[in-house]
Amino acid sequence: MLRFVTTNDLSLDAASVEGMPSRSITGLAAPYGVEATVSDGTRVILEPGALPVTGRRPKLYMSHDSSKAIGLVTERVDSPEGMYFTATISATRLGDEALVLAADGVLDSVSVGINPTAFTYDDEGVMHVTAATFDELSLVAQGAWAAAQISQVAATPPTATNSESEAPAMADPITPEPEPVTTPTAPLHPTPKREFKMPSSGDYL
């Protein structure tokens, strides 16, 4: 399997996030016609149409580690510039971490894992791949091409602040205040504050 490990430049226009499913990422998996070097040092160029848009859905990994599977590539769109993708991320602890890192821009690139099935070599020893299986896509900090990046993230990881924001900020002023109790309140939920009566000048005297 070819795993791309260095970078080259290609511009990418970000797609609109509207209509994306939650817990998903989208971007460019690999550009066509741009040279990259795989893990064994082979120089490779993917020709237009080299990657399939049908067949078994590629799995989504963290850094090409099959033991760290986090989702599936659910949509593949071929274009003259390269293969675009949308992938959904599973609701697991590792998937949540991947979403946060992608949303923060820490893991902003992707790297494809492919098996060439049709290819030729030019006079400089560069492999030109005209057909390949698309087996996996990985989130990485730096991919084979500068253009192979995540352009949009639709992340909805669980956070404790969601329940806090819905809790009441103040007690109802009409409700009588009960006697103080020692039972602790549930964690992550703010409790209403008791009203404080300012002392009069006579109280100080």
Side-chain angles (χ1 to χ4, degrees):
M1 179 182 293
L2 300 182
R3 294 188 175 96
F4 297 85
V5 296
T6 59
T7 60
N8 288 287
D9 293 332
L10 185 72
S11 62
L12 173 67
D13 293 330
S16 172
V17 74
E18 184 178 355
M20 284 181 60
S22 62
R23 300 186 65 88
S24 67
I25 58 174
T26 189
L28 181 67
Y32 292 143
V34 181
E35 183 180 315
T37 303
V38 299
S39 53
D40 65 357
T42 303
R43 297 157 61 195
V44 176
I45 293 176
L46 297 180
E47 299 296 340
L51 299 182
V53 296
T54 59
R56 185 177 181 180
R57 294 183 294 181
K59 294 183 179 180
L60 187 66
Y61 294 155
M62 293 283 280
S63 302
H64 295 295
D65 188 343
S66 60
S67 68
K68 295 181 178 180
I70 56 173
L72 288 172
V73 176
T74 54
E75 185 177 4
R76 288 168 279 175
V77 178
D78 202 28
S79 75
E81 295 80 22
M83 174 65 71
Y84 291 88
F85 76 94
T86 295
T88 57
I89 298 180
S90 301
T92 63
R93 179 188 59 79
L94 188 60
D96 289 345
E97 292 177 0
L99 275 173
V100 172
L101 291 171
D104 287 348
V106 178
L107 295 181
D108 60 354
S109 300
V110 292
S111 178
V112 295
I114 67 173
N115 277 313
T117 56
F119 55 89
T120 58
Y121 288 92
D122 62 22
D123 294 339
E124 296 182 356
V126 178
M127 175 190 288
H128 291 254
V129 178
T130 55
T133 62
F134 186 0
D135 300 317
E136 57 99 353
L137 184 70
S138 286
L139 298 187
V140 293
Q142 185 174 5
W145 296 281
Q149 292 187 342
I150 299 168
S151 60
Q152 297 291 343
V153 178
T156 55
T159 60
T161 55
N162 289 339
S163 60
E164 291 180 0
S165 62
E166 296 173 0
M170 297 179 60
D172 188 343
I174 301 176
T175 303
E177 185 65 35
E179 291 296 324
V181 294
T182 58
T183 304
T185 57
L188 302 180
H189 291 82
T191 56
K193 294 182 179 180
R194 297 185 60 188
E195 295 183 2
F196 177 72
K197 181 179 179 181
M198 290 294 293
S200 66
S201 58
D203 292 331
Y204 284 112
L205 298 177

